[in-house]
Amino acid sequence: MMRKEIYITDYNCVTPLGFDVSSNWNALVEGKSGVALHKIIDSHEAFYASMIDSEKLDATFGDHFDETHFTRLEKMFLLSLEPLIKRHSVSEDTAFILSTTKGNISLLKNRSELPEGVYLSALAQKIAGYFGFTKKPIVVSNACVSGVMAIAVAKSMISTGKYKDAFVIAGDELSEFVISGFNSFQAIGNGPCKPYDKNRNGINIGEAAAAVYITSALSGNEKFRFKISGDSAVNDANHISGPSRTGDGLYASIRTAMAEAKVTPEQIDFISAHGTATLYNDEMESIAFSRMNLQLIPLNSMKGYYGHCLGASGLLESIISMESALHSTLIPSKNFEEIGVSEPLNIIRENQHAEIRYILKTASGFGGCNAAVVLEKL
């Protein structure tokens, strides 16, 4: 039986750099970053993070929706998904997949009981119900690989014939809970993050929402098509928060995804890496890429522009990677100056023209999870 081919044919995003893909792309080409000083917790000093302007979010939301009974995160989700819903129909065979790490975690503040919206299943159902999805929503919440895994889940569900197409959304927001958690690991940097750089000292947390449309049935009217050629997720079970020192999980994920895509290291044109700007993550990635003979492939991390958007990062960065392919332009890894990992990497330092056919997108997260997907521009 011939394997069904699955494609991404549309996408959108809501970030501090803009509320659509074109504004985000233009900002990135100009080298703009959403990372700035923000004060989230009253009892703490301001720190560097990438945060959406709430007033702008509310105003834009009001231009598109009449309802007011949505949380800040839900507004981000709705705005990211609405344009795709307008361009593609939702049928009984359409899947709805939501990717997030914490969802409406802010609802827990000053609450003695769990409000319904804090449950990820309820959050997914609320968004799905608004747009008229009839199938039960699928939630992907696996730390920071959630966005990449959501693509793989959609591909798998459509490949089996269970669904004809799928809308995938991903999002997370800045909250006191998230900031306190990363502070407990002493992982937050005291300035704009510098992935893979010798002088990096930690991450910047970010927030965003992103959405993609995935299908096996092409209409011929698509402006672009990216085949999901291969994917994989592997847990190295190394540590609750520390990655494998030998890069085993990420290496295995990349190897399996590339094997399914039937591509060699030399065929990969660009790597959109995880690149959190923490010592152990960056080092692990450099080892995994080296083991796969990918050290010469142009690579960037988008964390210097968006911060670490948690469950949204993998999907958002996949979208930006596809934009790079459509514009034949590689975006530099912002704030990188001097290599600070043991294995060589071909870090992109400036905007440069490149013909991009095969993209490798990777992600790693707490609990030893690792994921990779190969996207092919057609």
Side-chain angles (χ1 to χ4, degrees):
M1 182 177 179
M2 184 177 294
R3 187 180 68 174
K4 185 179 294 186
E5 295 185 337
I6 314 298
Y7 308 90
I8 296 174
T9 64
D10 205 354
Y11 46 62
N12 189 44
C13 60
V14 172
T15 82
L17 293 181
F19 289 0
D20 56 43
V21 174
S22 61
S23 58
N24 273 267
W25 176 255
N26 292 335
L28 293 172
V29 170
E30 294 172 8
K32 295 179 180 178
S33 172
V35 175
L37 282 170
H38 293 281
K39 190 173 180 65
I40 308 299
I41 307 174
D42 292 338
S43 59
H44 289 65
E45 294 182 356
F47 59 92
Y48 284 89
S50 181
M51 188 174 185
I52 292 172
D53 184 290
S54 293
E55 291 186 4
K56 182 180 178 182
L57 177 67
D58 289 341
T60 306
F61 186 81
D63 291 338
H64 291 255
F65 302 91
D66 294 329
E67 288 78 1
T68 59
H69 58 285
F70 291 105
T71 66
R72 186 171 179 276
L73 178 62
E74 290 163 2
K75 292 176 182 178
M76 292 161 55
F77 276 134
L78 290 168
L79 282 173
S80 68
L81 185 56
E82 183 201 28
L84 305 192
I85 296 293
K86 288 182 175 180
R87 293 192 287 263
H88 309 278
S89 60
V90 175
S91 72
E92 294 182 353
D93 298 318
T94 301
F96 177 77
I97 302 172
L98 183 143
S99 163
T100 186
T101 60
K102 296 296 181 287
N104 278 322
I105 195 69
S106 297
L107 292 178
L108 291 178
K109 189 174 183 179
N110 301 322
R111 299 278 188 139
S112 58
E113 299 179 0
L114 285 176
E116 182 183 17
V118 79
Y119 292 103
L120 299 186
S121 58
L123 169 61
Q125 187 58 61
K126 186 174 182 180
I127 303 298
Y130 181 87
F131 287 116
F133 288 89
T134 58
K135 293 286 189 180
K136 186 176 181 179
I138 300 166
V139 175
V140 178
S141 184
N142 187 9
C144 300
V145 306
S146 300
V148 174
M149 282 198 66
I151 296 175
V153 169
K155 170 176 169 283
S156 176
M157 302 297 278
I158 297 173
S159 295
T160 61
K162 188 174 179 65
Y163 298 96
K164 182 191 73 175
D165 53 3
F167 291 86
V168 179
I169 65 172
D172 269 303
E173 66 173 341
L174 281 167
S175 69
E176 184 174 342
F177 180 91
V178 170
I179 298 303
S180 296
F182 278 96
N183 266 332
S184 70
F185 287 110
Q186 297 182 326
I188 295 180
N190 59 14
C193 67
K194 299 180 177 183
Y196 309 111
D197 192 85
K198 181 180 179 180
N199 296 313
R200 69 192 180 281
N201 67 357
I203 67 173
N204 304 141
I205 302 298
E207 61 181 10
V212 301
Y213 176 68
I214 301 178
T215 183
S216 61
L218 297 175
S219 67
N221 297 321
E222 297 85 5
K223 293 182 179 179
F224 57 81
R225 304 172 185 177
F226 285 87
K227 184 167 74 172
I228 307 172
S229 298
D231 67 272
S232 178
V234 174
N235 193 301
D236 57 42
N238 178 74
H239 188 269
I240 189 63
S241 62
S244 165
R245 302 299 174 87
T246 56
D248 286 347
L250 183 57
Y251 165 74
S253 296
I254 296 171
R255 182 184 61 189
T256 304
M258 289 177 56
E260 182 186 358
K262 296 182 173 59
V263 295
T264 64
E266 294 76 19
Q267 288 178 285
I268 298 295
D269 298 301
F270 163 58
I271 301 171
S272 174
H274 195 52
T276 61
T278 57
L279 175 65
Y280 293 126
N281 173 87
D282 290 5
E283 175 67 9
M284 178 277 291
E285 286 189 85
S286 78
I287 293 172
F289 291 135
S290 179
R291 289 177 65 183
M292 278 300 302
N293 296 315
L294 292 166
Q295 60 268 40
L296 298 181
I297 307 303
L299 172 151
N300 72 11
S301 164
M302 299 306 296
K303 302 298 189 292
Y305 301 94
Y306 293 114
H308 191 346
C309 300
L310 307 178
S313 60
L315 198 65
L316 171 62
E317 292 161 9
S318 294
I319 290 171
I320 300 304
S321 297
M322 289 183 277
E323 279 293 288
S324 286
L326 293 176
H327 291 275
S328 301
T329 301
L330 295 173
I331 298 296
S333 197
K334 194 171 183 62
N335 302 325
F336 176 79
E337 295 176 347
E338 183 179 358
I339 193 74
V341 291
S342 63
E343 299 296 329
L345 294 174
N346 184 8
I347 308 293
I348 304 167
R349 296 171 179 262
E350 58 185 13
N351 291 342
Q352 55 186 275
H353 175 82
E355 294 302 322
I356 302 169
R357 179 181 178 187
Y358 288 106
I359 300 164
L360 173 64
K361 174 69 195 127
T362 66
S364 301
F366 286 170
C369 54
N370 301 271
V373 63
V374 177
L375 302 173
E376 179 186 358
K377 184 181 75 170
L378 299 178

